[in-house]
Amino acid sequence: MENTEKKQATAAEIAQIISSIYAKNLFNGKVALVTGASRGIGRAISIALGTLGAKVIVNYAGNAAAAESVVSEIKECNGIATCAKFDVADFNLVLESIKVLEKEHGGIDILINNAGISKDNLFVKFKEDDWDATLNTNLKGSFNCARAVAMGMMRKRSGKIINISSVVGLTGNAGQTAYAASKAGVIGLTKALALELAGRNIQINALAPGYFTTDMTSTLGSDVIKKIEEKIPSEKVGDPIEVAKAVIFLASQASSYITGQTLAVDGGMTMH
Ligand code: NAP
């Protein structure tokens, strides 16, 4: 199968686009934790937040070199960043790691639950391990991190949690039962948590990205990408910066009266 190998935007391009839309000091004094930020969508979100003044904590699972490189990219854009290794699926490790980070940085103001994996197979061939890994990373990982930051945000009576779901959490997708279930679960988590924390001035929203050029989709052949593009009214798969643009809106005070919502960032794909 032919690999699409579409180039993602450089850090300088992300910084230039984001700062042409949003004020450069939008997140001055804020601390943002982005899970799964060493690559793809998490990388773009981190660079965007860093460009706009947030102190960014770049979380990753195993790829230290990639995470360090994102930290360097943010610093090159005059941002402040550091990285933190932990597996979002490990409840105790997440609680311990975030406790240390809160102490070090004076709390977490913005959490982006972005870390995710996709293990696809026909349902009748689906392995239990693959089901567990997908649900543990995508859904339990979002619970773990939200659970770890919630008390600190409640004490501050301020906070933003943005959960990265997927259009397949809205529509389903053959061959992606575990992934779709995990992403639909993220939407349920978003709504229930939003109801619990709304009175504390904490907004929890989800984004449902369509198809983006990242490592996760890099094995799709150009024939598959062409078929996907035919279903997208905007006629192209997205660059991760499109998700970053929406994250910035939801992480800022522009969305202070919006909570429990799921916004599709999909070029119009889920309209029909
Ligand atoms: P990606 O390029 O495959 O990157 C995944 C990131 O998640 C990496 O930084 C990876 O860290 C991290 N990660 C994986 N398991 C982890 C764990 N247990 N703990 C901590 N970090 C972990 O993925 P992507 O395409 O950018 O996707 C980002 C998010 O968007 C995911 O939630 C995905 O489901 C969602 N999404 C993507 C698309 C798309 O078209 N790409 C569409 C809809 C939704 P390491 O580098 O250390 O492995």
Side-chain angles (χ1 to χ4, degrees), residues 31 55 57 82-84 97-108:
V31 177
K55 187 192 275 188
I57 303 165
T82 183
C83 55
S97 305
I98 290 185
K99 202 171 170 188
V100 171
L101 290 169
E102 284 181 327
K103 218 169 174 189
E104 212 173 309
H105 302 289
I108 309 283

Side-chain angles (χ1 to χ4, degrees), residues 88-135:
V88 296
D90 183 331
F91 181 76
N92 289 323
L93 179 64
V94 169
L95 286 194
E96 280 161 30
S97 305
I98 290 185
K99 202 171 170 188
V100 171
L101 290 169
E102 284 181 327
K103 218 169 174 189
E104 212 173 309
H105 302 289
I108 309 283
D109 302 291
I110 300 163
L111 166 67
I112 317 294
N113 275 319
N114 168 77
I117 58 169
S118 171
K119 294 197 179 275
D120 306 338
N121 208 340
L122 292 176
F123 184 65
V124 290
K125 292 184 176 175
F126 220 91
K127 294 193 180 74
E128 185 185 6
D129 284 356
D130 287 345
W131 178 274
D132 288 345
T134 307
L135 271 289

Side-chain angles (χ1 to χ4, degrees), residues 47-60:
I47 295 168
L49 286 164
T51 299
L52 302 179
K55 187 192 275 188
V56 185
I57 303 165
V58 174
N59 159 258
Y60 66 102

